[in-house]
Amino acid sequence: MSQKPRGERIVKIRHMIPNMVTIFSICAGLTALRMGIEGNVEKALYLIMLAVFLDAADGKLARMLKSSSDIGAELDTLADFFNFGIVPGILVYTVVFDGTEQANLGWFTVLTMAAACALRLARFNVTSDDAEDMSTERNYFVGVPAPAFASLSLMPIFLQLLNADWVFSPHLVSIYLLLMAALAISRIPTYSIKHASVKSKHVALLLFGSTLVMMSLLVFTWQTFVVANVLYLLSLPLSVRCYRRQNAG
């Protein structure tokens, strides 16, 4: 009988699936970059949204298949940095700043966004196993998470697709994006729905509301993203207040 070579490690295919999903998300982000450079802005945005979905899916798959690994965590961080820290900035630069007198200002803004996202992800990796930070109650992130940062950063493009030309002052866009970068690296506690729960009597209402949101995304895509971004920003003071109240008790 043939024997397996000593030291040979067998890896089950199912353990590779989450990493495959993460690599696919990088491909989606890279293709979004190409679409943006070629002027297909809407296609680029759809691909970034696909990357957001895949970012949420790979972690769920890893836990469900019990295939979490160090390489998967590192790959996920690289995907988040590229898809949410680089691609949105390049798209906004291409749409708003490229070919204008404020191109250098726009590039400075893009570099700041990328640096902020990198620092935010690095801090998350370092503190993810820190008991003190994790006890910040699992219902909260520290700062704006990378996918939300990407969506907020794309707000000028959403508005442009809705013909809101008034927003396209490069200086105004730059100030807005720098503020979003500051929120990403801030210590502000922001709501996390990962461990959120709801009373059983409210399940039907939640499902109905989720259905309305999905239908709105299909029919009024960019309006829905604008409203969602505005509501998210308005929720930040409430998030800070609730967090302080919980810890005061």
Side-chain angles (χ1 to χ4, degrees):
M1 290 180 63
S2 60
Q3 294 182 348
K4 298 175 185 177
R6 284 188 179 179
E8 183 178 355
R9 182 167 174 260
I10 303 300
V11 179
K12 294 182 179 179
I13 297 297
R14 66 181 176 85
H15 291 163
M16 300 170 59
I17 292 176
N19 291 347
M20 292 177 183
V21 172
T22 304
I23 292 172
F24 183 40
S25 76
I26 295 175
C27 293
L30 191 55
T31 306
L33 196 57
R34 175 191 173 185
M35 292 294 103
I37 292 172
E38 293 179 352
N40 298 317
V41 176
E42 291 195 34
K43 288 183 179 179
L45 292 175
Y46 286 129
L47 286 165
I48 293 178
M49 296 309 130
L50 173 61
V52 171
F53 170 77
L54 293 174
D55 174 67
D58 62 4
K60 295 291 184 183
L61 282 171
R63 287 187 288 272
M64 184 175 66
L65 298 174
K66 298 180 180 179
S67 56
S68 300
S69 65
D70 291 339
I71 190 172
E74 295 300 326
L75 195 59
D76 187 61
T77 299
L78 290 173
D80 286 354
F81 175 59
F82 180 74
N83 291 335
F84 309 138
I86 295 179
V87 177
I90 297 295
L91 287 180
V92 174
Y93 176 83
T94 302
V95 173
V96 179
F97 298 99
D98 192 26
T100 70
E101 294 180 355
Q102 288 76 36
N104 286 338
L105 173 64
W107 192 245
F108 169 81
T109 304
V110 170
L111 294 177
T112 304
M113 291 167 61
C117 187
L119 290 170
R120 193 254 178 276
L121 291 168
R123 183 181 66 194
F124 176 80
N125 287 348
V126 169
T127 60
S128 60
D129 295 325
D130 190 320
E132 182 178 351
D133 274 288
M134 290 304 287
S135 69
T136 309
E137 268 49 75
R138 299 185 307 173
N139 294 330
Y140 297 90
F141 290 113
V142 179
V144 172
F149 173 59
S151 180
L152 292 169
S153 299
L154 292 169
M155 179 78 100
I157 300 181
F158 296 149
L159 291 172
Q160 189 228 31
L161 292 172
L162 296 174
N163 298 315
D165 296 331
W166 56 269
V167 78
F168 274 83
S169 162
H171 292 95
L172 182 61
V173 171
S174 180
I175 292 172
Y176 168 78
L177 293 175
L178 291 173
L179 288 173
M180 296 305 102
L183 285 176
I185 60 174
S186 71
R187 304 290 298 183
I188 294 175
T190 57
Y191 286 122
S192 167
I193 62 172
K194 284 185 177 181
H195 305 284
S197 58
V198 63
K199 293 181 179 179
S200 58
K201 64 180 180 180
H202 296 148
V203 169
L205 183 61
L206 179 62
L207 289 174
F208 179 69
S210 300
T211 302
L212 289 179
V213 172
M214 293 299 106
M215 290 190 296
S216 297
L217 281 171
L218 291 173
V219 182
F220 305 108
T221 305
W222 313 125
Q223 294 93 328
T224 302
F225 277 116
V226 169
V227 171
N229 282 340
V230 171
L231 291 176
Y232 183 82
L233 290 173
L234 292 176
S235 76
L236 295 182
L238 181 62
S239 176
V240 173
R241 181 180 178 184
C242 290
Y243 171 79
R244 289 177 175 173
R245 181 179 298 173
Q246 284 185 16
N247 283 273

